[in-house]
Amino acid sequence: MTDPTVRTRLVETSTTSTPAMSASTAVLRTEARLFTREPGALFWILVFPTLLLVILGLIPGFREPDPDLGGLRVIDLYVPVAILLAMIVAGVQTMPAVLSSYRERGILRRLAVTPASPSHLLTAQIVVHAIAVLASVVLALIVGRAAFGVAFPAQPWGYALAVLVTLAAALSAGGTLAAVAPSVRIAQTLGTIVFFPLMFSAGVWLPVQAMPELLRRIVELTPFGAAAQLLDETAAGGLPNLGGIAVVVGWTVVLTGVAIRWFRWQ
């Protein structure tokens, strides 16, 4: 990870040397520039989900229609899984570690006395990670179509809505972890603990649609389990299920409230 002191120096330089530019814009540009220098984050958010999709797509049986899945192929179900995986990585692995590092090293406290306030930095982190995830979404859809003939979503607006509300839930989860973790080590530990259950609920090991009915109903009460169903429904041409939207939005509201309540700048 780029040294947080370097980040602070770049932010302070950009906000003092370009007075015509707002502090928030300066911080956003700086964080975006630094994010592109993070090969680990770029790989796990942008590359790994699609790479996993390609690896699974090379399994012959995953490219055959399955009557138990309503005639769909397993690879058809793994495109939304790849999308959800990118959100999980950004939300619980990358963003909390960066914010906790800023707090642990006093970066947020130091920014509070500059034109670039901590809230600007928090907003910039959310925007940068959201853009990275959306780029990963586009990449997964294009590769799925080009390499394995996975159809683009038949209900694109509903699909986009499902992606956006789920992305909000993922980033609110990241904000919660950053709020309750006093150090980078604890943030990484909590992120790892949460990471694997979230991957299961998103269908990484077993697509939600292929789970036994009781397990599927339980998983659909989680944000990523509900999101998996929303993406599947809208990909097939249906409108987003209001119950699923309510589950994802409900989790977002709760997690955002926890993050706001417990987040500390120092």
Side-chain angles (χ1 to χ4, degrees), residues 28-237:
L28 177 59
R29 291 185 59 179
T30 300
E31 288 300 307
R33 189 189 325 149
L34 290 169
F35 185 80
T36 62
R37 300 178 187 176
E38 300 284 357
L42 290 172
F43 173 79
W44 290 107
I45 297 176
L46 289 173
V47 179
F48 177 70
T50 299
L51 178 62
L52 176 63
L53 177 67
V54 171
I55 292 172
L56 294 174
L58 295 177
I59 301 174
F62 282 15
R63 302 194 302 270
E64 298 295 329
D66 188 339
D68 293 334
L69 298 176
L72 293 174
R73 303 170 301 166
V74 173
I75 193 62
D76 295 324
L77 303 181
Y78 267 100
V79 170
V81 169
I83 290 172
L84 296 177
L85 182 57
M87 296 183 188
I88 293 170
V89 171
V92 305
Q93 291 281 297
T94 307
M95 193 175 77
V98 173
L99 293 174
S100 297
S101 174
Y102 285 159
R103 183 192 297 113
E104 183 178 14
R105 301 193 184 192
I107 305 304
L108 295 179
R109 184 177 64 252
R110 291 164 60 186
L111 285 177
V113 297
T114 72
S117 71
S119 60
H120 292 152
L121 183 59
L122 179 60
T123 301
Q125 279 292 313
I126 292 173
V127 171
V128 167
H129 281 86
I131 292 174
V133 168
L134 293 176
S136 185
V137 170
V138 173
L139 181 62
L141 289 172
I142 292 176
V143 171
R145 175 63 175 174
F148 307 112
V150 178
F152 287 128
Q155 176 53 261
W157 295 112
Y159 201 88
L161 175 62
V163 166
L164 292 177
V165 296
T166 308
L167 178 56
L171 295 179
S172 66
T176 299
L177 290 178
V180 301
S183 67
V184 178
R185 185 183 300 275
I186 294 178
Q188 292 173 335
T189 300
L190 291 176
T192 301
I193 293 173
V194 173
F195 183 67
F196 291 100
L198 291 183
M199 285 202 303
F200 176 79
S201 68
V204 173
W205 290 289
L206 178 66
V208 175
Q209 296 81 357
M211 292 179 179
E213 183 177 358
L214 177 59
L215 178 60
R216 185 175 69 249
R217 290 183 180 278
I218 295 172
V219 167
E220 287 174 358
L221 296 176
T222 68
F224 293 100
Q229 289 293 75
L230 288 172
L231 293 176
D232 178 63
E233 292 166 354
T234 53

